[in-house]
């Protein structure tokens, strides 16, 4: 009988112990949280200070860098202006020297060129004159040859043309004669046709009845003489 | 046999006309109401009728009898086919008197004949004669052509 009470007691004691333990643990945890919150606040404060300090240092560095850059820039501008001035000066000197030298060389070249040109011109004139003379002589010779050939050819052509004209003339004469004969034959034939037609018309109309009868009788007698009615 | 009848015919055209008239009379024999004597009087030419009737009388035949008339018609047609016919091409159609003259001339050459006359004005005159397969051109046109042919 005691066992259940003992068990209940143990269980009760255990439960109470457990509850106490939990509560103690909760309290301990709460204290740790507060401690952590304090540390966090402390750290946050330190961070803020560090950042502020870093910003101040950064600003200082930037400011110095800008000053330095501006100073460098000013120095470089001055240097560049000097450099440009120097360069321009050098270029002018080189150009003047070059120009002077070119003028000198050009003058020499010009003289040489003039000499060369004159000699070439003289040579060319001489050769041209020679060529023209040769051409003129050749042309004259060829012209003379041509004249002679032309004279010969003209005489020959005249003979050929004369013969050809005679041949053509003979052909034309022959054609005309043929045409004339043909036309005369045609005219004669036409005349005969016309005469024949007129004769026929006149005969047909001019014959009297007795003449027609006579012709028919003659025809029958001729037929008899020729033996047409025999047998 | 039909000498008198053929003697009255000068041309083939006259013969054909007579045959047509005889055929018309023969046809009338089939008409029972027809008066055959009146038909003969009306149909035959005036110069042929006496010759036809004379033939029947001479031979003691009754022209009003169909059988007798048929026999006559048949025999006459046969004889006509055998009758000599001379073909003449003339430049004009001759009048009866001219035909009689021509026929009279021919009678001396061929006693019994018929003329088969054709008109061809292009022959101008004369005649082209054809007889029993023979052909002769005695036209004026041919003479003119021969004359002009000789001139060439």
């Amino acid at each position: 009988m005691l066992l259940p009470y003992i068990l209940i007691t143990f269980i009760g004691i255990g439960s109470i112990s457990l509850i106490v333990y939990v509560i103690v643990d909760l309290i301990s945890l709460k204290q740790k949280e507060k401690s952590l919150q304090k540390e966090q606040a402390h750290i946050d404060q330190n961070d803020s200070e560090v950042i502020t300090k870093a910003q101040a240092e950064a600003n200082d560095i930037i400011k110095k860098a800008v000053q330095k850059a501006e100073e460098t820039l000013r120095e470089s501008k001055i240097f560049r202006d000097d450099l440009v001035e120097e360069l321009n000066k050098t270029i002018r000197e080189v150009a003047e020297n070059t120009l002077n030298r070119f003028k000198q060389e050009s003058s020499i070249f010009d003289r040489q060129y003039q000499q060369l040109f004159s000699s070439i011109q003289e040579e060319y004139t001489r050769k041209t004159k020679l060529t023209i003379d040769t051409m003129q002589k050749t042309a004259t010779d060829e012209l003379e040859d041509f004249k002679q050939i032309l004279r010969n050819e003209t005489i020959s052509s005249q003979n050929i043309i004369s013969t050809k004209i005679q041949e053509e003339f003979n052909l034309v004469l022959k054609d005309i004669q043929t045409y004339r004969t043909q036309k005369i034959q045609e005219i004669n034939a036409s005349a005969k046709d016309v005469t024949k037609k007129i004769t026929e018309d006149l005969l047909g109309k001019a014959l009297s009845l007795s003449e027609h009868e006579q012709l028919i009788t003659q025809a029958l007698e001729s037929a008899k003489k020729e033996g047409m009615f025999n047998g | 046999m039909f000498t008198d009848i053929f003697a009255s015919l000068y041309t083939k055209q006259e013969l054909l006309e007579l045959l047509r008239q005889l055929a018309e009379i023969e046809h009338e024999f089939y008409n029972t109401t027809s008066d055959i004597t009146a038909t003969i009087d009306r149909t035959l030419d005036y110069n042929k009728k006496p010759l036809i009737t004379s033939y029947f009388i001479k031979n003691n035949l009754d022209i009003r009898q169909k059988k007798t008339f048929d026999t006559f018609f048949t025999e006459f047609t046969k004889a006509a086919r055998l009758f000599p016919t001379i073909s003449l091409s003339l430049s004009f159609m001759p009048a009866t008197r001219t035909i009689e003259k021509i026929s009279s001339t021919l009678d001396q050459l061929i006693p019994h004949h018929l003329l088969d006359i054709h008109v061809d004005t292009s022959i101008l005159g004369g005649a082209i004669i054809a007889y029993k397969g023979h052909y002769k051109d005695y036209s004026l046109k041919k003479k003119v052509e021969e004359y002009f042919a000789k001139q060439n």
Side-chain angles (χ1 to χ4, degrees):
Chain A
M1 286 296 281
L2 284 177
L3 188 60
Y5 292 112
I6 297 168
L7 278 171
I8 291 165
T9 304
F10 275 116
I11 291 167
I13 294 166
S15 298
I16 290 164
S17 298
L18 189 61
I19 288 165
V20 170
Y21 175 75
V22 168
I23 290 166
V24 170
D25 195 42
L26 282 171
I27 290 165
S28 174
L29 283 170
K30 192 68 178 174
Q31 284 176 346
K32 281 182 180 176
E33 186 183 357
K34 283 181 180 177
S35 174
L36 284 170
Q37 282 177 348
K38 282 180 182 174
E39 283 181 12
Q40 184 67 43
H42 184 66
I43 289 166
D44 287 344
Q45 190 179 357
N46 285 341
D47 287 348
S48 180
E49 286 174 1
V50 167
I51 288 166
T52 304
K53 190 179 177 183
Q55 281 178 343
E57 285 177 357
N59 286 336
D60 191 41
I61 289 166
I62 289 165
K63 195 176 177 180
K64 285 179 180 174
V66 169
Q67 285 175 353
K68 186 68 178 175
E70 284 175 351
E71 191 178 339
T72 304
L73 196 63
R74 277 194 304 273
E75 286 176 356
S76 69
K77 189 172 183 300
I78 292 163
F79 175 74
R80 193 196 66 180
D81 290 345
D82 292 345
L83 193 63
V84 168
E85 180 65 24
E86 185 67 23
L87 185 63
N88 285 338
K89 189 180 172 185
T90 306
I91 288 169
R92 275 196 302 273
E93 286 174 2
V94 168
E96 282 173 6
N97 290 336
T98 305
L99 192 63
N100 289 332
R101 202 166 62 198
F102 177 75
K103 279 178 181 175
Q104 289 171 1
E105 287 178 356
S106 177
S107 177
I108 294 164
F109 175 77
D110 192 43
R111 278 196 303 278
Q112 289 175 346
Y113 171 77
Q114 284 297 333
Q115 288 172 357
L116 183 63
F117 180 77
S118 297
S119 65
I120 289 170
Q121 192 176 29
E122 283 171 10
E123 179 66 14
Y124 180 75
T125 306
R126 191 184 64 78
K127 282 187 176 176
T128 304
K129 189 172 180 305
L130 186 65
T131 305
I132 288 168
D133 290 344
T134 307
M135 283 172 68
Q136 193 171 9
K137 186 175 183 304
T138 306
T140 307
D141 293 346
E142 285 181 354
L143 188 64
E144 280 302 316
D145 291 346
F146 178 73
K147 279 179 182 175
Q148 187 57 42
I149 290 166
L150 194 63
R151 272 196 291 277
N152 296 337
E153 288 295 322
T154 303
I155 292 163
S156 177
S157 296
Q158 279 175 346
N159 291 333
I160 291 167
I161 289 166
S162 177
T163 309
K164 192 70 184 168
I165 286 171
Q166 190 58 44
E167 285 174 5
E168 290 293 326
F169 181 72
N170 290 338
L171 281 174
V172 170
L173 264 184
K174 192 180 172 188
D175 286 348
I176 288 169
Q177 190 60 39
T178 307
Y179 180 76
R180 186 167 166 270
T181 308
Q182 186 186 339
K183 280 293 160 190
I184 287 169
Q185 284 174 351
E186 284 177 12
I187 289 165
N188 285 340
S190 297
K192 274 187 184 171
D193 284 345
V194 171
T195 310
K196 182 167 163 273
K197 188 80 176 68
I198 291 168
T199 306
E200 288 174 355
D201 287 348
L202 288 174
L203 277 174
K205 289 173 186 172
L207 289 175
S208 65
L209 181 60
S210 64
E211 286 169 330
H212 271 297
E213 288 175 353
Q214 194 178 347
L215 282 173
I216 293 166
T217 304
Q218 283 175 0
L220 293 170
E221 286 173 354
S222 297
K224 182 191 170 188
K225 283 179 186 172
E226 291 177 22
M228 190 173 180
F229 303 122
N230 295 342
Chain B
M1 190 177 180
F2 304 108
T3 310
D4 292 339
I5 299 171
F6 280 120
S8 71
L9 298 169
Y10 291 106
T11 66
K12 188 178 177 181
Q13 288 75 17
E14 285 179 282
L15 172 64
L16 292 174
E17 177 58 22
L18 177 60
L19 290 171
R20 191 195 65 75
Q21 290 168 5
L22 293 173
E24 189 178 327
I25 292 166
E26 189 194 30
H27 184 71
E28 279 299 310
F29 276 104
Y30 294 98
N31 185 355
T32 52
T33 59
S34 173
D35 180 353
I36 200 69
T37 305
T39 302
I40 291 168
D41 287 344
R42 188 184 65 245
T43 307
L44 289 174
D45 284 344
Y46 75 96
N47 60 343
K48 301 293 183 301
K49 190 171 66 179
L51 296 171
I52 301 291
T53 52
S54 173
Y55 171 82
F56 276 88
I57 292 166
K58 280 182 185 174
N59 292 282
N60 292 320
L61 297 169
D62 186 357
I63 197 170
R64 292 168 299 177
Q65 294 294 316
K66 181 180 180 301
K67 189 178 176 184
T68 310
F69 192 86
D70 281 349
T71 304
F72 162 76
F73 186 49
T74 305
E75 293 299 321
F76 184 77
T77 306
K78 280 182 186 173
R81 284 201 190 108
L82 298 172
F83 213 70
T85 303
I86 299 167
S87 175
L88 288 180
S89 290
L90 305 177
S91 62
F92 65 103
M93 178 50 80
T96 306
R97 197 183 64 80
T98 308
I99 291 172
E100 286 172 0
K101 277 189 179 178
I102 295 168
S103 192
S104 172
T105 307
L106 273 174
D107 272 338
Q108 298 167 16
L109 310 172
I110 305 169
H112 303 290
H113 67 271
L114 283 173
L115 298 175
D116 185 9
I117 295 173
H118 304 275
V119 177
D120 180 1
T121 55
S122 71
I123 69 171
L124 303 176
I128 297 172
I129 304 168
Y131 178 67
K132 287 187 178 177
H134 297 284
Y135 176 92
K136 289 285 182 182
D137 187 349
Y138 300 106
S139 69
L140 197 56
K141 180 184 176 68
K142 190 183 178 188
K143 286 176 182 171
V144 171
E145 283 174 349
E146 284 172 349
Y147 172 79
F148 280 100
K150 283 177 187 173
Q151 301 302 309
N152 289 334

